[in-house]
Structure formats: C-alpha cells, structure tokens
Amino acid sequence: MKKYLLPQAGNFYKANLHCHSTCSDGAKSPAEIKEMYMAEGYSAVAFTDHEVYIPHNDLTDDHFVALNGVELSFDSDHEDWEIYPWRHMKVCHVCAIAEDPMNHLHPCWNRNKPLGRVATTNKHLVKFDESQPDYHYEYSVECVNKTLKLLKEKGFFTTYNHPTWSLENPETYLAYNDFDAFEIYNHSSFCEGFDDYNPHVYEQLLRKGKRIGCVASDDNHNRDPQAWDSFGGFAMIKAEKLDYASLMQALKKGDYYASQGPKIHELWYEDGKICVTCDDALKIDFATGRRHGFAYFGKDGGPINHACFPLIEGDPDPYVRVTVTGFDRKVAHTRAYWMDEILPK
C-alpha cells in the first residue's frame, strides 16, 4: 500500500518565502512584487522586510496569497552603523511568517533598535504590544534560541537563512534550535557572489538530529538590473486550496519542497522503497545521513523521471531525502523524511 509523503490530494503552489520591498530596503513596492511574481506563475509571496513586521492582507485575493512576515537580524556588537566595518560583521538572519493572517503584532519589537541602511520611514506602521519592554537583541546562540522559541510560541513559522553570507561557522549554526526550515538556497546571495547553496549545511543540521525542512528563496531586493535577484529559488507547497490557512498548515506539516527549477510530482513509500516522480532530469539522488544512498541516471545519458530507493530492513537509516538535478544543473530538494514518519507503525 502506498504511503504518500507529499500528499496525494491538493495542489502545488509556487511561493517565495523571503522577500524585501520598499517597506525596508527593496526597490519594488509590495503591489509591484505581487504583479511581477504572479506573472512568473507564483501563487504566494511572504513579505519579510527587515525588522519591520507589516501585514499585507490587502494584496490577498482568489489567485494570490500575501504571507505576513519579518526578517530579524542578530548582529555582532558595534558602536555606530555609519562607521562600523559592516562587511566584517557576523550576523544571524531569521525569517518569521505568521501562521494567522490576523496576527498583526510584531513578535519582538524594539523601538530603538538601529535599522542601519534599512528604510525607517515605515516604522510607524508597525504594531506591537506597548505593555511589553523593548526586546533585547544580541549576536549570541542564547539570544537566537530564545527568540526562535518565542516566535514558535507566538505562532510564527521560522527559517534560518544564508549562513555563508552571514559569515557563520558550524559551531554556531549547529547550536541553533527551534527553527522550522533551513534556507538551502538563497538567490540574492548567489547574485552577490556568495555560495549560499548549502545542502552540506542541511546535512550537518540533520545529522545533529534537527527535524527541519528546507526551502529555496529569492531574498529579493530588486535593486540591480544586472544581478536580478528574483525567480531563482522557490518553495512548492502542496496544500488543499489556495488560502492563507491552507498554505501555512502545509508549511507546518512539511508538505513542500525546495527548488531552483525542477518539479517533483509525487513522493511515496511502498513495499520497502521510497519512490519519486519528477520532471525529466539528469539524475535523482537519495541520501540517508549514513553511507547508504544512490544516484540514479537515465539510460545512455538520457532523461530520468522516476526512481525507487530500497530501505535497509532491520537497521533503518535515520531519514531519507531526495535531490533532483536537471540537465541545466538546477536542483530540487525534498525535506528529510524521518523513518518514524515513513515506516508503517
């Protein structure tokens, strides 16, 4: 009997889960972003402007969902944004997307936090609990983990973003907890010359036992026509219907995959094997966190669009995840599916 890992029912919706508009340091307005992403086949965009949490429910309609979010930064100590050598600074960036579209309060607002190069003209649009003291940010594992835990308690889906651009090392990012997904590819970083395609970091996190998904995102700012940072990385979310609640429920359940281009159609378990169907591809990889995996290629260098990978009986691997590589070398990644999710109980 088939057990579908990506749900059989519902539809796939293309989404950019990391986006900057004129509400912070992006060059396009939220309305312009909606128009240009819809023209490229997207059904949803998470507006995650730096520090300022500003809902955009007015942009949601029957064909598009604006997800409400914010990108929070934890920066190394410095005295002055204007003179500090920012290019040397280690940072941690986390995106938080509200599960409830009517949650309009910034989850951890600091009235006096320096916003640096970020546009400050929209600070007056931020709503927050005025009875609470200013939230204290610092660049430390303790502060990041405290904040991630708080975001979860306040109903936010969180992603840990672009560790290469952030200049972070394994001893730091492997200590972070309580985020929902890792940004396995960041397109804006790629456009700036950083190698923020990080499947090896995802593997490191998984091998530490972190049960997290993976997403690919644009992190678009749209400031430089020569390095256009839109439409390079996206999430395909399998949801019952196109509305805010269904998309967020699917994200929380892990019903999505990350892609730079290739499409994955089905993923299931049957008769001791994990099977996948996809667009015509150069190869399909299965990884397990152990020295047990395989790369499947098409016959005589031709395309492959399905593969089945046998699990080891009696000594199960901790998880299985699938990577699809197109002939253009663009990739799609499923999240890691843990064996207690897969194997019949």
Side-chain angles (χ1 to χ4, degrees), residues 255-298:
D255 294 340
Y256 59 89
Y257 65 88
S259 185
Q260 298 170 341
K263 302 290 179 63
I264 295 172
H265 304 153
E266 292 184 304
L267 182 69
W268 72 91
Y269 168 82
E270 186 177 26
D271 297 332
K273 297 178 181 179
I274 299 293
C275 300
V276 65
T277 63
C278 59
D279 288 349
D280 285 351
L282 173 67
K283 68 170 182 169
I284 301 172
D285 296 302
F286 292 82
T288 66
R290 292 182 177 171
R291 201 166 291 114
H292 173 224
F294 204 75
Y296 294 85
F297 293 84

Side-chain angles (χ1 to χ4, degrees), residues 80-96:
D80 193 324
W81 275 89
E82 299 302 322
I83 64 173
Y84 188 83
W86 182 79
R87 65 188 181 276
H88 300 168
M89 188 196 311
K90 289 185 179 183
V91 300
C92 173
H93 282 196
V94 171
C95 280

Side-chain angles (χ1 to χ4, degrees), residues 13-260:
Y13 298 105
K14 190 175 183 179
N16 175 22
L17 298 180
H18 188 171
C19 167
H20 299 287
S21 74
T22 50
C23 292
S24 61
D25 61 347
K28 299 291 185 181
S29 71
E32 289 173 320
I33 288 169
K34 172 184 175 177
E35 180 180 8
M36 70 185 199
Y37 272 85
M38 287 189 69
E40 292 293 326
Y42 287 72
S43 299
V45 169
F47 292 89
T48 55
D49 278 297
H50 294 285
E51 314 305 337
V52 290
Y53 175 58
I54 301 174
H56 297 287
N57 294 336
D58 58 303
L59 296 180
T60 294
D61 56 34
D62 290 342
H63 306 288
F64 181 84
V65 175
L67 299 173
N68 300 326
V70 60
E71 186 173 24
L72 303 175
S73 61
F74 304 81
D75 305 322
S76 303
D77 289 338
H78 57 88
E79 294 181 357
D80 193 324
W81 275 89
E82 299 302 322
I83 64 173
Y84 188 83
W86 182 79
R87 65 188 181 276
H88 300 168
M89 188 196 311
K90 289 185 179 183
V91 300
C92 173
H93 282 196
V94 171
C95 280
I97 305 172
E99 297 173 33
D100 182 350
M102 302 313 295
N103 180 357
H104 290 178
L105 295 181
H106 193 295
C108 37
W109 178 242
N110 184 314
R111 300 166 183 83
N112 301 307
K113 184 178 182 183
L115 299 183
R117 298 180 301 163
V118 176
T120 60
T121 55
N122 293 294
K123 288 178 68 174
H124 68 285
L125 298 176
V126 178
K127 296 180 180 180
F128 57 95
D129 186 348
E130 298 189 32
S131 69
Q132 296 298 312
D134 286 343
Y135 193 80
H136 174 68
Y137 288 84
E138 65 180 28
Y139 181 69
S140 70
V141 169
E142 293 75 19
C143 185
V144 172
N145 282 341
K146 171 188 169 185
T147 307
L148 287 166
K149 182 178 180 182
L150 177 65
L151 291 168
K152 181 171 289 189
E153 292 171 354
K154 292 194 173 186
F156 285 80
F157 177 90
T158 55
T159 64
Y160 168 56
N161 304 333
H162 49 58
T164 305
W165 180 92
S166 298
L167 305 182
E168 292 207 287
N169 298 318
E171 60 265 27
T172 302
Y173 60 67
L174 291 177
Y176 294 149
N177 299 316
D178 287 323
F179 54 94
D180 295 295
F182 170 64
E183 194 174 63
I184 200 167
Y185 175 70
N186 181 287
H187 189 55
S188 181
S189 294
F190 170 80
C191 291
E192 291 184 10
F194 293 87
D195 184 16
D196 257 309
Y197 171 52
N198 284 310
H200 63 286
V201 175
Y202 188 44
E203 276 290 327
Q204 291 174 338
L205 293 163
L206 295 172
R207 291 178 190 183
K208 290 285 285 187
K210 300 180 190 296
R211 296 194 174 209
I212 55 174
C214 63
V215 298
S217 302
D218 278 343
D219 190 7
N220 57 295
H221 297 75
N222 306 114
R223 294 191 296 251
D224 185 353
Q226 301 302 314
W228 191 250
D229 54 3
S230 283
F231 320 131
F234 54 90
M236 292 297 288
I237 305 172
K238 190 72 176 286
E240 292 183 4
K241 55 185 176 180
L242 182 61
D243 62 26
Y244 198 111
S246 298
L247 292 181
M248 291 310 302
Q249 182 182 32
L251 284 174
K252 292 295 290 184
K253 289 171 60 180
D255 294 340
Y256 59 89
Y257 65 88
S259 185
Q260 298 170 341

